[in-house]
Amino acid sequence: MLNKRYKLLAAALFCALCLSGCKKTNEDEIALASFSASVEDFTNYMKDAEEQINALDASQKESVDELLSILDGMDDKIATFGKITPPPQYTGIAIPLETASEHMSNAASYFHSAYESEVFNENDASVAYQHYEISMKWLRVTGYIIAGDKIPEYENVTVYEEINDSHIFDKWLSDDDDNETAPEATSEAVH
């Protein structure tokens, strides 16, 4: 399975190099290939981290240190991924990623507080877990946006369409019917 990944990566790099002869189109394709590689790396990291968390033995004292380390790594990885400038067709991921990053930072902070106090703080652990769950929700939403899939209703996310109607007043004030143009629209998850 690992060998297939290297073959796929080598093929993607080869295609990127072959396509580098054309200017703007190839720059866009290279940016998209780079973003795609970043998404794959991020996805693999998060899956591995979640598997590591699920594999922890709660009865072992050293599991707490491992958990905190994994959460700190996830916090760093989400923040780093959120700083990547996506290609124009994926700009809608900015808000969900920012939200996921904020909640993961809070989760890591509250888990540290819960486990590093003299007595285990159950309230902090509960709050930490809630932030963790919210972060995972917004990462799933980010995945739906990247894949171009519809966000399922059970995620309780409202998508608002942002419309640029700045030209509408000119149209209303003018009697010229040739002035009609369709408004530009982009979808963005904001709630």
Side-chain angles (χ1 to χ4, degrees), residues 138-175:
W138 286 105
L139 289 178
R140 285 190 305 274
V141 168
T142 301
Y144 293 131
I145 294 170
I146 290 172
D149 295 339
K150 182 178 178 182
I151 300 170
E153 286 184 28
Y154 62 80
E155 293 290 2
N156 296 317
V157 174
T158 303
V159 178
Y160 297 96
E161 193 166 319
E162 190 175 281
I163 299 175
N164 179 2
D165 278 339
S166 61
H167 66 283
I168 197 75
F169 292 117
D170 293 334
K171 179 180 168 187
W172 287 342
L173 296 174
S174 170
D175 290 336

Side-chain angles (χ1 to χ4, degrees), residues 32 49 110 112 114:
L32 187 58
Y110 275 103
H112 275 280

